[in-house]
């Protein structure tokens, strides 16, 4: 893998992207998370037990989209951040909410693979929090600080998007793709660096 301009900052921006995307998925695209599969599966269990098919549909769409994103981004091809940008731009398109949720979830599944390649968690942070707290308790502060940065970035992405959503709902839809552009710049290979 070539040396990247700023992988730690890029991973933090991708975590903010996940926070922004999940906020929009939860509030505007049917009430399911685009990247938090665990929360969606718990919601699916509730929907099944209560025969609430309206609650089950967005969850099934999001989990399926996320899984497809992981599969597609695991294949050897390039321009993955460009594909994520394109998918997140559809969230702002005048399409049915279910289709927009699906494309957001595909993007988040793909972003999870990018995070794995960076050695950073950018979407599913529950286990990362447990690991960070365990490492902090064991005196391994450096590892825990990196994860805590990811967690703060996730919350910041959601909070900024929520704030923008209050004053300019349509503009909030463009926060995730804008963040992906920033991440792409931060993750560009450094020219002249050895491979």
């Amino acid at each position: 893998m070539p040396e990247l301009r700023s992988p730690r900052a890029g991973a933090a921006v991708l975590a903010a992207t996940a926070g922004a995307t999940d906020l929009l998925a939860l509030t505007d695209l049917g009430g399911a998370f685009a990247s938090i599969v665990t929360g969606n599966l718990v919601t699916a269990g509730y929907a099944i037990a209560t025969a609430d098919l309206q609650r089950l549909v967005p969850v099934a769409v999001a989990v399926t989209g996320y899984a497809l994103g992981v599969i597609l981004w695991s294949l050897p091809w390039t321009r993955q951040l460009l594909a994520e940008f394109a998918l997140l731009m559809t969230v702002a398109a005048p399409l049915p909410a279910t289709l927009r949720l699906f494309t957001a979830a595909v993007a988040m599944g793909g972003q999870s693979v990018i995070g794995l390649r960076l050695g950073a968690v950018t979407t599913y942070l529950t286990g990362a929090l447990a690991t960070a707290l365990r490492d902090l308790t064991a005196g391994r502060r450096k590892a825990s600080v990196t994860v805590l940065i990811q967690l703060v970035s996730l919350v910041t992405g959601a909070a900024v998007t929520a704030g923008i959503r209050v004053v300019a709902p349509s503009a909030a839809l463009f926060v995730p793709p804008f963040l992906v552009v920033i991440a792409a710049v931060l993750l560009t290979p450094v020219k002249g660096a050895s491979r």
Side-chain angles (χ1 to χ4, degrees):
M1 181 178 210
E3 183 182 338
L4 301 176
R5 187 174 313 277
S6 185
R8 189 172 179 179
V13 173
L14 288 176
T17 303
T21 304
D22 276 327
L23 182 275
L24 293 170
L26 194 60
T27 59
D28 297 339
L29 304 179
F33 295 103
S35 75
I36 306 173
V37 173
T38 305
N40 286 337
L41 294 176
V42 170
T43 302
Y46 177 79
I48 291 166
T50 59
D52 185 351
L53 293 180
Q54 284 186 329
R55 189 180 301 251
L56 187 58
V57 169
V59 167
V61 166
V63 172
T64 302
Y66 185 91
L68 180 61
V70 170
I71 291 166
L72 290 175
W73 266 251
S74 295
L75 299 173
W77 60 289
T78 58
R79 307 287 186 238
Q80 293 170 336
L81 286 173
L82 178 61
E84 182 177 350
F85 172 81
L87 287 167
L88 291 175
M89 284 299 290
T90 66
V91 173
L95 300 168
T98 303
L99 179 58
R100 293 165 45 211
L101 174 62
F102 181 75
T103 60
V106 171
M108 291 297 96
Q111 181 180 297
S112 293
V113 174
I114 294 168
L116 290 172
R117 289 183 182 139
L118 291 171
V121 180
T122 64
T123 57
Y124 47 92
L125 291 157
T126 304
L129 174 61
T131 301
L133 294 174
R134 181 201 64 205
D135 288 350
L136 188 61
T137 304
R140 294 185 295 266
R141 286 186 173 82
K142 186 177 181 181
S144 60
V145 167
T146 299
V147 173
L148 293 175
I149 289 169
Q150 294 302 97
L151 289 163
V152 169
S153 297
L154 180 84
V155 172
T156 301
V160 167
T161 304
I164 293 170
R165 189 175 172 272
V166 169
V167 294
S170 296
L173 299 171
F174 293 98
V175 172
F178 174 74
L179 290 170
V180 169
V181 169
I182 294 171
V185 169
L186 293 169
L187 296 172
T188 57
V190 177
K191 291 186 180 198
S194 60
R195 292 183 181 228

